[in-house]
Amino acid sequence: MMAPGLLLLAALSILPFAAVVAMSFSRVHLLGGLRLEAVGADNWSRLLDDPDMAWVWARTAGYFAVTVGTEMVLGTVLAVFLWRLRHGRNTALSLLLLPMFVAPVIVGLLGRFLTDSTFGLYAWLLEQAGYSGDVMADKTTAFAAVTLMDVWEWTPLVTLIALAGLTSVPASVLEAASLDGAGTLRTLRHIVLPSIAPVLLVALLIRSMDALRYFDIIWNTTGGGPADATKTASIRLYETAFRFFDFGYAAVTGLLMLAVTTVVARYFVRLLDRNGTPR
């Protein structure tokens, strides 16, 4: 009975993966019909000789560290605040989760309009604060802007997951800690956070997979600029494939992204196993 589903899964995943592997060892010709010309390991050797690729992955690692780190810290803090909130928790949670339901493309477009130097609200607020430059035209501010857009959209997801973990902390343990004279900070540090550590690892795994494929917001705001300051691996892959039509080298980039994502996922799965959480 599982055969039709397995065949569909193979058609949607295994066959395209095999095609990408074949493309990574070929030069893809589009004129006159699709044709693959075998070039051996030339595309892979180009990866080792490409100085821009090292900077692309350095920027990707920077985005990964900043966005995921900020979302984990801010999401956990907001979850603890909602957990301790006695009145209006449902209303506050509903308002907090709204950004998560906005499509990343819309977030990018909204961010681009809000930071526009001519009519953008955020640009006007920054001008009142003393900053008169164009946010998306400067390397540092463009990097910060697209990072904050991702943080704004996906911090609620971390908050929701962490809040689910907080609601499962036994009340008897918290009462015992209170009777023993443990303060709020000590209770959070020694009881609450260790109790929800597996849940936080799940949130970290989910956000890590998305952060490594960070594309929509950057493409709709800066397109990878200015001066490649926001060009991540996914942006480079898209440009290589659909702007320069170098599908062989794009396949190599995609397989490298898959390998990095798999390594990161396996690392977090091992951490989950170490914390006693079943896969």
Side-chain angles (χ1 to χ4, degrees):
M1 294 181 65
M2 294 180 61
L6 292 176
L7 291 175
L8 179 60
L9 179 63
L12 295 177
S13 58
I14 298 177
L15 295 180
F17 175 74
V20 171
V21 173
M23 290 169 58
S24 69
F25 293 98
S26 308
R27 180 178 293 109
V28 182
H29 298 278
L30 299 178
L31 296 178
L34 179 64
R35 180 168 56 89
L36 301 182
E37 177 187 351
V39 294
D42 288 354
N43 291 325
W44 291 94
S45 61
R46 283 177 57 191
L47 180 66
L48 300 177
D49 298 333
D50 189 352
D52 293 334
M53 188 61 70
W55 287 107
V56 165
W57 277 103
R59 283 188 290 270
T60 303
Y63 276 112
F64 176 84
V66 174
T67 55
V68 176
T70 305
E71 289 164 6
M72 291 301 300
V73 173
L74 187 58
T76 304
V77 171
L78 290 174
V80 171
F81 172 77
L82 290 173
W83 180 55
R84 305 280 294 187
L85 193 63
R86 299 301 180 187
H87 303 286
R89 177 189 297 179
N90 292 335
T91 302
L93 181 60
S94 300
L95 294 175
L96 182 65
L97 293 180
L98 287 179
M100 190 176 65
F101 299 107
V102 181
V105 174
I106 302 301
V107 174
L109 293 174
L110 181 63
R112 188 178 67 183
F113 288 131
L114 289 174
T115 57
D116 189 278
S117 58
T118 304
F119 52 79
L121 174 61
Y122 289 170
W124 179 80
L125 293 175
L126 289 173
E127 185 178 354
Q128 302 304 309
Y131 179 80
S132 58
D134 190 341
V135 174
M136 293 302 177
D138 182 80
K139 293 182 179 181
T140 303
T141 55
F143 183 96
V146 295
T147 300
L148 289 175
M149 291 177 199
D150 186 80
V151 170
W152 175 79
E153 181 175 18
W154 294 115
T155 296
L157 176 62
V158 179
T159 302
L160 183 63
I161 296 174
L163 184 60
L166 288 170
T167 55
S168 65
V169 177
S172 59
V173 177
L174 298 176
E175 292 176 0
S178 177
L179 292 174
D180 289 339
T184 302
L185 294 179
R186 185 170 295 179
T187 302
L188 288 174
R189 179 182 176 182
H190 297 286
I191 297 177
V192 176
L193 292 181
S195 299
I196 66 171
V199 177
L200 293 179
L201 282 175
V202 172
L204 183 60
L205 174 63
I206 295 173
R207 285 305 306 136
S208 298
M209 298 304 97
D210 287 338
L212 289 171
R213 301 190 302 266
Y214 195 41
F215 176 82
D216 308 71
I217 294 176
I218 297 179
W219 186 254
N220 284 280
T221 51
T222 64
D228 294 343
T230 59
K231 183 178 290 186
T232 59
S234 57
I235 299 293
R236 176 65 183 273
L237 188 154
Y238 182 86
E239 288 186 344
T240 303
F242 301 109
R243 178 173 293 180
F244 304 111
F245 299 102
D246 191 353
F247 290 101
Y249 193 47
V252 171
T253 306
L255 290 174
L256 180 59
M257 289 182 61
L258 176 62
V260 173
T261 304
T262 303
V263 169
V264 173
R266 289 299 304 169
Y267 174 74
F268 287 130
V269 168
R270 288 184 180 180
L271 287 180
L272 285 171
D273 289 340
R274 191 177 304 171
N275 282 269
T277 302
R279 301 184 193 183

